[in-house]
């Protein structure tokens, strides 16, 4: 089967993290209870962190660089992911990731507004950088091996672009509706 192929387990981890991110965001948009909405937002952020990291791990293993996964560099990246997750989960106690969380409905869904703190920007930047590094590794390998047509290669590179641009535009406050994060929608 496919499970014994390089990167297969990490690809499943990517899909799981994306499912958490998108599923939690979808449920959050239907949740008017403030405490439950915060808990779902924490799951959204957890999915965000691990989507990027798992994608980088997938790309490393898929492109024949799996040895990096057991080295200190990837260990550090993983540790940062764990720290970011811990900060997200404990955010209601310290506000290091975001402050001022409030429901701010738009289009009849339970969107929220909050102020991102520097740790949140670092987290988004790190997750985006990890995912982008994964795309670069895949494209570089595809250029060398040539198993895909130029159209296929463009698909690999470009499918990761819209969610990243959407996430960065939301975090940067330039998205059309600041209370609606379009990244999970574009992941689907």
């Amino acid at each position: 089967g496919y499970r014994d192929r390089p990167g297969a387990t990490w690809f499943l981890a990517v899909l799981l993290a994306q499912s958490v991110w998108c599923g939690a965001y979808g449920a959050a948009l239907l949740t008017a209870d403030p405490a439950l909405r915060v808990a779902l937002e924490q799951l959204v952020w957890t999915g965000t962190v691990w989507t990027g990291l798992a994608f980088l791990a997938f790309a490393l293993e898929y492109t024949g660089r799996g040895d990096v996964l057991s080295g200190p560099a990837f260990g550090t990246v993983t540790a940062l992911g764990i720290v970011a997750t811990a900060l997200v989960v404990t955010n209601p106690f310290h506000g290091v990731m975001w402050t001022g969380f409030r429901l701010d409905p738009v289009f009849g869904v339970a969107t929220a507004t909050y102020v991102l703190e520097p740790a949140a920007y670092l987290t988004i930047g790190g997750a985006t950088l990890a995912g982008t590094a994964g795309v670069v590794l895949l494209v570089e390998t595809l250029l060398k091996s040539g198993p895909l047509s130029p159209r296929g290669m463009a698909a690999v590179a470009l499918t990761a672009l819209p969610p990243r641009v959407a996430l960065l535009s939301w975090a940067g406050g330039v998205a059309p509706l600041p209370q609606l994060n379009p990244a999970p929608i574009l992941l689907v």
Side-chain angles (χ1 to χ4, degrees), residues 18-158:
Q18 286 180 343
S19 296
V20 168
W21 186 359
C22 295
Y25 197 67
L29 292 176
L30 302 174
T31 304
D33 176 75
L36 182 55
R37 183 64 177 78
V38 167
L40 288 166
E41 196 71 17
Q42 291 167 310
L43 280 174
V44 167
W45 277 79
T46 300
T48 304
V49 168
W50 293 102
T51 294
L53 294 177
F55 188 77
L56 175 58
F58 157 71
L60 285 165
E61 191 169 288
Y62 184 80
T63 61
R65 298 171 177 98
D67 58 317
V68 173
L69 297 174
S70 59
F74 196 78
T76 300
V77 169
T78 302
L80 291 172
I82 292 168
V83 168
T85 301
L87 290 174
V88 163
V89 170
T90 59
N91 190 71
F93 303 107
H94 51 66
V96 169
M97 297 297 277
W98 64 78
T99 56
F101 188 95
R102 66 182 172 82
L103 291 175
D104 190 6
V106 64
F107 299 127
V109 295
T111 52
T113 301
Y114 49 92
V115 177
L116 297 177
E117 298 299 331
Y121 288 109
L122 288 172
T123 298
I124 288 171
T128 301
L129 184 60
T132 302
V135 169
V136 168
L137 289 171
L138 291 171
V139 169
E140 183 255 343
T141 298
L142 292 170
L143 285 172
K144 284 183 179 177
S145 64
L148 287 181
S149 66
R151 176 184 269 167
M153 201 173 327
V156 168
L158 295 178

Side-chain angles (χ1 to χ4, degrees), residues 165-178:
V165 169
L167 180 62
L168 293 174
S169 69
W170 171 78
V174 296
L177 297 168

